[in-house]
Amino acid sequence: MKANKSTMVAVSLALTASLVSGCLGGGSKPAESGGGTDASGHKNVTIRIASTETGAESMKVLQDAGKEYEEKTGVKVVAEAVPLADVYTKINATYGTSSQYSAFLTGYIGHITLLEKQGRLTPVDDIIETLGGAEDFYDGHILFPINGKVYWIPYDYNLGYGYVRKDWLAEKGLSTPKTWDELVNAAKQLTDKDANQYGLIMPLKADDSSNWLTSALLWANDVRIFDDQWNVILDSPEMKPKVVESLNLLKELFQYMPTKAANASYSDMTEAFVGEQVGMSFYSGRLVDIVDSKNPKLADQFEVFGIPRKDGNGVAASLGYDSMAVLQTNHTDETKKFVEWFYKEKMIDFLNSVPVHYFPAQKSIYESEKWRNLPNIKKYWETGVEPQYKLLTEATLHSIDTDGPTTDERPGKVFQSLIIPKMFQRVTINNEDPGKVVDETAKEIRSLIQR
């Protein structure tokens, strides 16, 4: 779901990279990932992994695991840090070349649907079974099979939700927002522009942060992009009023955000909150880990909350997850063996690299004493861990790339195109009429999925 993510590449570049990679590798056998022989004449195998978990602690676990696995099996594992915004394009650009990857980490099912459509992924149902089966992955709710086959192995849930300063609310005699009116009022009351203090910040940059986090305002109003027949319904008589309501809410909240919100992405969500510039921010569990390391005095001053529905009848959160997938290469079998070993032997170590952020995708890990006894899990159990589980089990969860009746590349295209973040920008930064923007956005989506 969503750590240290940089700007998404525009869809035109992504599609160009896809076409280029098709010329390089489409229709031909994938090139060897590594090669040569050792002193005994045995063929060398090198597995290259593109890791979107680029933090030093997470990379160290991956790289140390690779070294241990090589000592045990002779298979060399090379983990490379690749920003989530770049991973899809980089996989396509290198596929079928000597630099191609054997596996990759990603936070978006959209990447999986697009790559599966190109025939570049291998199913991992067998690995899922050895890890406890679909039941252990919260009854399979996070697996998103395509035509009955699973193509990724989740390691965490990464929901997008709100954080609020409890002490700031108390000073104003307020409580955690439960309705849209309360959310707007809290943002207003917590804003003091002369003191460079603002009510909230949401990402408005045309990248995957807005795709993921800011879209929660849509899900809190039951907005959907496609119907059960894959018709675009964003501008339908039933759906358009809901979209306009959500956009008007965002427009109203925008006036209580710092000026940097117009170009804000992931890091701004954490920096503004940890730096005590805003009273509310929106992110995943990583914000707790950052508070713990950079401003621990806030450890007991925040509260987690879901995005409230308009009338207060429940909350929503952006659905997020992080997973590993295996590409079709000449070393697919060796890669799958490493991935299975890593999940069985090193997963808790990996989750502990950013413990509150990496909420386990497997019930068996969530319920295990080994995981629950990790220092920061124990420390933030009531304030940062249990609230995530409550959202996971009670909130309305949705995302752009999971929209529609089945797992499909069409919402993946919408996600990759950044159409929705541009819609947010038009009504906030450009102050355009929300109704007109919805009509034009729906038309653009129809054109996109027909191409």
Side-chain angles (χ1 to χ4, degrees):
M1 135 79 92
K2 314 318 182 221
N4 297 325
K5 301 170 183 175
S6 59
T7 307
M8 292 290 289
V9 179
V11 68
S12 58
L13 294 178
L15 294 176
T16 299
S18 178
L19 291 172
V20 171
S21 63
C23 294
L24 291 172
S28 61
K29 189 176 183 181
E32 294 284 348
S33 179
T37 57
D38 61 21
S40 303
H42 296 113
K43 185 169 143 182
N44 292 329
V45 174
T46 298
I47 295 171
R48 296 185 67 230
I49 299 175
S51 172
T52 54
E53 303 296 355
T54 58
E57 299 87 353
S58 302
M59 287 303 301
K60 185 177 187 306
V61 175
L62 275 170
Q63 291 164 350
D64 287 350
K67 292 174 184 177
E68 181 179 338
Y69 193 77
E70 182 177 5
E71 292 174 358
K72 294 170 68 72
T73 67
V75 174
K76 186 174 184 179
V77 180
V78 178
E80 175 187 340
V82 179
L84 181 58
D86 302 333
V87 70
Y88 174 73
T89 301
K90 198 162 185 179
I91 287 170
N92 273 323
T94 58
Y95 192 80
T97 76
S98 59
S99 300
Q100 73 177 1
Y101 295 101
S102 309
F104 64 98
L105 283 66
T106 185
Y108 301 120
I109 191 65
H111 290 162
I112 301 299
T113 57
L114 293 170
L115 289 166
E116 188 277 332
K117 189 71 173 179
Q118 298 170 52
R120 295 182 174 178
L121 297 180
T122 191
V124 291
D125 302 79
D126 50 344
I127 298 178
I128 295 293
E129 285 304 311
T130 67
L131 297 176
E135 180 181 350
D136 197 35
F137 288 84
Y138 294 88
D139 298 322
H141 293 158
I142 199 172
L143 297 181
F144 300 106
I146 302 172
N147 297 323
K149 295 181 179 180
V150 175
Y151 288 90
W152 71 355
I153 310 164
Y155 55 83
D156 75 18
Y157 268 103
N158 244 314
L159 306 182
Y161 46 83
Y163 288 82
V164 62
R165 287 287 297 270
K166 295 189 301 181
D167 52 337
W168 288 19
L169 289 176
E171 289 174 4
K172 299 292 183 179
L174 301 172
S175 58
T176 301
K178 296 293 192 299
T179 67
W180 283 11
D181 286 344
E182 290 179 8
L183 180 63
V184 171
N185 184 54
K188 180 179 180 180
Q189 296 298 323
L190 298 181
T191 297
D192 183 351
K193 295 183 179 181
D194 291 338
N196 194 31
Q197 177 180 308
Y198 295 85
L200 79 163
I201 187 169
M202 299 189 86
L204 292 172
K205 192 171 186 176
D207 71 359
D208 54 333
S209 64
S210 300
N211 258 336
W212 176 50
L213 287 171
T214 309
S215 61
L217 296 180
L218 301 176
W219 320 141
N221 207 24
D222 294 323
V223 170
R224 295 295 182 267
I225 301 169
F226 298 99
D227 69 8
D228 289 344
Q229 303 299 319
W230 289 112
N231 298 304
V232 177
I233 57 171
L234 207 64
D235 59 345
S236 69
E238 297 78 15
M239 191 60 63
K240 181 178 176 180
K242 296 181 180 181
V243 186
V244 170
E245 282 182 329
S246 295
L247 294 178
N248 279 327
L249 172 62
L250 177 61
K251 192 172 183 178
E252 194 167 5
L253 292 172
F254 181 60
Q255 62 187 312
Y256 305 118
M257 300 185 196
T259 55
K260 65 180 178 182
N263 199 41
S265 187
Y266 289 106
S267 61
D268 300 286
M269 299 304 100
T270 59
E271 290 170 3
F273 193 80
V274 175
E276 303 189 61
Q277 185 185 22
V278 299
M280 292 181 284
S281 187
F282 300 84
Y283 206 54
S284 64
R286 183 177 291 270
L287 185 51
V288 178
D289 296 301
I290 294 175
V291 163
D292 187 72
S293 64
K294 294 190 174 181
N295 195 353
K297 73 177 185 178
L298 299 183
D300 59 354
Q301 297 295 345
F302 69 84
E303 182 175 341
V304 165
F305 70 101
I307 312 302
R309 290 181 176 275
K310 181 172 59 174
D311 59 1
N313 185 25
V315 298
S318 291
L319 179 59
Y321 27 66
D322 287 309
S323 306
M324 189 180 292
V326 178
L327 289 154
Q328 287 278 8
T329 70
N330 287 339
H331 300 317
T332 296
D333 290 342
E334 292 91 342
T335 304
K336 290 179 73 173
K337 289 177 183 177
F338 166 76
V339 170
E340 181 177 334
W341 173 85
F342 182 81
Y343 272 73
K344 287 181 175 179
E345 303 296 332
K346 301 298 177 183
M347 183 48 61
I348 290 184
D349 292 340
F350 186 67
L351 298 179
N352 191 37
S353 64
V354 199
V356 183
H357 178 65
Y358 291 151
F359 188 95
Q362 292 175 258
K363 289 190 291 185
S364 59
I365 294 179
Y366 177 76
E367 294 166 356
S368 72
E369 289 302 314
K370 183 177 180 181
W371 179 76
R372 293 190 176 203
N373 283 324
L374 296 176
N376 269 20
I377 296 301
K378 293 178 67 175
K379 181 177 180 179
Y380 292 102
W381 182 260
E382 293 184 359
T383 56
V385 180
E386 277 193 316
Q388 289 190 66
Y389 184 77
K390 186 174 182 180
L391 288 171
L392 179 63
T393 54
E394 298 180 9
T396 297
L397 304 176
H398 200 60
S399 64
I400 293 170
D401 54 344
T402 60
D403 199 276
T406 59
T407 308
D408 189 89
E409 77 276 6
R410 279 168 280 197
K413 287 182 179 180
V414 176
F415 182 93
Q416 195 75 4
S417 70
L418 306 177
I419 288 175
I420 302 301
K422 291 171 186 174
M423 179 176 72
F424 297 149
Q425 289 185 335
R426 290 179 65 182
V427 299
T428 54
I429 302 168
N430 298 347
N431 197 29
E432 296 183 43
D433 174 65
K436 178 183 176 183
V437 171
V438 172
D439 290 339
E440 293 177 355
T441 299
K443 182 178 180 180
E444 188 177 356
I445 292 173
R446 291 189 184 100
S447 176
L448 172 71
I449 63 175
Q450 289 170 3
R451 290 199 294 267

